Amino acid sequence: MQTIRVETPSAKYDVIAGSGLVDTLAPRIERVVGRLPQRVFVLTSAPIWALWGHSFQQSFPDAPIVLFLEPGEKHKTLASVDRLLREMAKAGGDRGSLLIAFGGGIVGDVGGFLAAIYMRGISYLQVPTTFLAQVDSSVGGKTGVNLAEGKNLVGSFHHPLAVFADIGALGTLPDRELHAGLMESVKAGIIRDRALVRFMEEHVDEVLGRDAKALEKVIAASIRMKAAVVNKDERENGLRMILNLGHTVGHALEQATQYKLLLHGEAVGWGMVAALWLARKRGTISGSQFERLENLIHLYGPLPPLKLRAAKIVAATGSDKKNVGGVKRFVLPVGIGDAGVVEDVMPAELEAAVEYMLAGAKEKQS
Ligand SMILES: NC(=O)c1ccc[n+]([C@@H]2O[C@H](COP(=O)([O-])OP(=O)(O)OC[C@H]3O[C@@H](n4cnc5c(N)ncnc54)[C@H](O)[C@@H]3O)[C@@H](O)[C@H]2O)c1
Ligand SMILES: [Zn+2]
């Protein structure tokens, strides 16, 4: 079990990563909030509840009120939020109520947003059940939903009172989801943690075989990296930008494939390949570092093949909402364990990086 502290100007809380958390939640929550409030809501989705609901309920003296969000990005909407807020009101939710988001990143983002706006804000906890949610989305306080016009366009910063990341809950996660989530850990290592890069290189079989100790190590290191960055820059004014390594091209790939072909982590994996290529070309990483890091990405693959044109992907990066003032901001690794942001990446240079990535993505097919 490892405890990682998040301390920002607006919130201080612990992220606990380890085994055996889901079935011992109630006493752990009481240690954080004092007595459990009269109404405890759980937001989850039916498949997760079918697998883990029984364990979840075990430690609660009174059954929590369960709210369901249908799985899938297309339900991460204001319409779902409206329905769920009304269900909370009908069930007598008040300002003292507590909400627990129990699921992947979608449940976490919607749950956090409900907690941010119900009666102008109630307390909540994150109990993430996907690898991605454990290492990334449950930490940092970003909550929200999608609009038809784009992903995550509506939301709020609202930090949980605590995060309980139960490694045991990953036991039922499909392989593809695990591999995709691991790309965020590869990213964490590349931008901030050489030791994590080495550990992931040396323990591929244990990590992919879901050995609890190896997973705990990777998850805790990834959370520690994110917490350290968020502690310094809660609102993404500067340093937090580096968390976007691989995400400029990654988001473009997701968009160009209508969010259907690739999981987020897979798109980020390919996006990191493009970023590594640019970094090597600009000399912020050496040829051997490039090979080592590209290899690491593929060790945790396979990344799906891509049949796209480079120009289309480059065009799609233009609509990345993280581009400030039309400048293409781009995160590049600096050696192994550091990264920086550059603002002068020209479309032709980016296109060459994307061509390199696509050539690799084609090879995968044959
Ligand atoms: N708030 C943030 O800072 C932040 C950061 C990164 C991503 N996100 C958001 O996170 C979302 C993606 O999250 P995700 O990758 O967890 O996807 P997800 O929430 O869709 O979960 C993936 C799938 O796994 C299933 N699942 C969840 N836990 C399971 C378990 N233990 N066993 C079996 N199946 C399980 C889910 O039902 C779902 O089908 C996106 O909406 C993204 O925008 C937010
Ligand atoms: Zn990401």
Side-chain angles (χ1 to χ4, degrees), residues 132 136 184 187 243 247 251 264 268:
L132 179 116
D136 192 354
E184 298 285 1
K187 178 197 82 180
L243 298 175
H247 282 63
H251 287 148
H264 173 71
V268 170

